[in-house]
Amino acid sequence: MKKYYLNLQLFAGEKTEKATPKRRQEARKRGQVLKSTEINSAVILFVAFLLLKLIIPAMLEEMQVYIFNLWSQMTIGIISVETIAPLLNSLVILFLKLILPLLVVIVVVGVIANLVQVGFLFTTEPLQIKLSRINPLEGFKRIFSKKALAELFKSIGKIGLISFITYSSIKSNVDSFPYLMDMGIAAIIKFLGQILFTILWKVILLLIFLAILDYLYQKYEYETNLKMSKQEIKDEYKNIEGDPQVKAKIKEKQRQMAMSRMMQEVPHADVIITNPTHFAVALKYETQTMDAPMVVAKGQDLVALRIKELAHKNGIVTVENKPLAQLLFHNVDINQQVPEDMFQAVAEILAFVYRLKQKA
């Protein structure tokens, strides 16, 4: 039996359940989100590749103009500070015109890729200083953790595949290299550029495929790390909804307080209508403040007996009317006025009570 109980405890402690929304929200506040850096890298490289393919003709023209101007100055033979300064300024402007748009696009695409994966998130939790981060033993564990080893093998595999693509692309064109000696500079640049773009295109396709696999792996790791045990789910439910035992005690206390307030109204009632044993309903009517008689107390069995005892102790008239007592008990709440379809029956009882009071 003890062994069975221990097995149950171990089973309750196993993280087999999916994370609750609250657990996911807390993890997000800590900066623990589903994100693949490979997706960002693949998207940035893909957009940069397309942009380069679009602007390279214009870049070549700009560079050709600059080289022509530089060569012209050199052939004239007038090289001085006055002639070099404009050329340097032109070189800086050319560099900015070629590189700045590419950098801006890369930054924007990187931000968009992060927002698509994570959304807007600002948290200082990862920046907080924790002693566990500078603990050598913890650092050693992180270096040789399953995640670190997976990242290592992933990097090695990526480098190996990119090297194979580069080698195979160059090997397929190696027979054409001797003919470069008979080509002009423009033709050589065009030929090498075609090989380079072919390699880049294949590498980008490879990185996109690897990014998809990495995203699936990161999602699996993310969901695994967030998994909860049955006991954790129960504890979270208690924290959100409150301990059932405490809630039951609160409700019991509220019932007792409501019962006490209700019993305090019985001595002020005008009449008690009974079943005669199972139900008791206390009615009160003030002509100046009420449009209709009001139920100020009602009860069943022991509560009904208590109401009748209080009525007898305080000289409240008790009238036996089984159908009316049942209707009032089941259809009219405490501090609620009697509905119109019961006016006639209640009015007759109140008139009878008032006559008794006048005779007394």
Side-chain angles (χ1 to χ4, degrees), residues 214-281:
D214 182 70
Y215 180 81
L216 295 176
Y217 172 75
Q218 296 296 337
K219 184 177 181 180
Y220 168 77
E221 281 289 314
Y222 177 76
E223 294 294 336
T224 302
N225 292 331
L226 286 184
K227 277 187 176 180
M228 305 172 66
S229 64
K230 295 182 182 296
Q231 186 61 41
E232 286 176 336
I233 293 177
K234 290 180 181 178
D235 293 340
E236 182 182 291
Y237 177 78
K238 286 181 180 180
N239 292 331
I240 296 174
E241 300 294 333
D243 195 330
Q245 295 180 355
V246 175
K247 290 178 67 178
K249 290 180 180 179
I250 292 173
K251 288 183 178 180
E252 180 63 27
K253 189 66 176 178
Q254 290 173 344
R255 282 194 295 268
Q256 291 176 1
M257 293 172 65
M259 181 69 67
S260 177
R261 287 194 299 268
M262 184 182 72
M263 291 302 180
Q264 290 174 4
E265 294 295 328
V266 173
H268 304 291
D270 293 315
V271 64
I272 307 297
I273 302 174
T274 63
N275 193 30
T277 56
H278 294 295
F279 300 104
V281 180

Side-chain angles (χ1 to χ4, degrees), residues 24-245:
R24 294 179 185 276
Q25 186 177 4
E26 291 175 351
R28 182 176 177 83
K29 289 180 180 178
R30 295 193 303 268
Q32 186 179 356
V33 292
L34 174 58
K35 178 183 174 182
S36 172
T37 54
E38 299 297 330
I39 292 285
N40 294 352
S41 302
V43 171
I44 290 172
L45 190 59
F46 178 72
V47 174
F49 174 77
L50 293 180
L51 184 62
L52 279 174
K53 200 165 186 180
L54 290 174
I55 67 174
I56 271 184
M59 291 173 62
L60 291 176
E61 290 182 4
E62 294 278 349
M63 292 178 65
Q64 187 175 4
V65 171
Y66 177 79
I67 292 172
F68 177 78
N69 292 333
L70 179 62
W71 185 257
S72 299
Q73 292 289 338
M74 292 178 66
T75 53
I76 293 173
I78 304 174
I79 304 298
S80 64
V81 176
E82 289 78 8
T83 57
I84 290 296
L87 292 175
L88 293 176
N89 292 335
S90 301
L91 180 61
V92 172
I93 294 172
L94 176 63
F95 178 78
L96 292 177
K97 286 173 64 177
L98 299 179
I99 301 301
L100 195 60
L102 184 62
L103 294 178
V104 172
V105 170
I106 288 174
V107 171
V108 172
V109 170
V111 172
I112 293 174
N114 273 297
L115 288 175
V116 170
Q117 288 194 84
V118 179
F120 182 77
L121 176 63
F122 178 77
T123 177
T124 58
E125 183 73 20
L127 302 178
Q128 294 180 1
I129 299 175
K130 296 181 180 179
L131 295 178
S132 59
R133 294 177 180 173
I134 58 176
N135 187 351
L137 184 60
E138 293 295 328
F140 185 79
K141 288 181 180 179
R142 285 194 295 270
I143 291 173
F144 293 96
S145 64
K146 183 176 70 174
K147 183 177 181 180
L149 292 175
E151 291 293 330
L152 175 63
F153 286 120
K154 183 175 68 175
S155 300
I156 293 174
K158 190 195 302 184
I159 293 171
L161 290 173
I162 292 174
S163 301
F164 175 75
I165 289 173
T166 305
Y167 171 75
S168 60
S169 298
I170 294 175
K171 185 179 179 181
S172 61
N173 292 278
V174 72
D175 295 335
S176 302
F177 286 165
Y179 299 103
L180 296 178
M181 300 176 64
D182 300 327
M183 296 182 182
I185 295 176
I188 293 173
I189 293 175
K190 184 178 180 182
F191 175 75
L192 295 177
Q194 289 177 349
I195 296 176
L196 179 61
F197 273 101
T198 301
I199 294 172
L200 285 176
W201 182 243
K202 290 180 180 180
V203 169
I204 288 170
L205 291 178
L206 171 66
L207 291 179
I208 291 174
F209 175 73
L210 293 178
I212 295 172
L213 294 181
D214 182 70
Y215 180 81
L216 295 176
Y217 172 75
Q218 296 296 337
K219 184 177 181 180
Y220 168 77
E221 281 289 314
Y222 177 76
E223 294 294 336
T224 302
N225 292 331
L226 286 184
K227 277 187 176 180
M228 305 172 66
S229 64
K230 295 182 182 296
Q231 186 61 41
E232 286 176 336
I233 293 177
K234 290 180 181 178
D235 293 340
E236 182 182 291
Y237 177 78
K238 286 181 180 180
N239 292 331
I240 296 174
E241 300 294 333
D243 195 330
Q245 295 180 355

Side-chain angles (χ1 to χ4, degrees), residues 298 323 325-333 336-337 339 341-342:
K298 66 177 183 178
Q326 292 180 2
L327 284 173
L328 290 170
F329 181 83
H330 291 295
N331 298 298
V332 186
D333 293 329
Q336 184 179 354
Q337 292 182 349
D341 56 349
M342 302 181 192

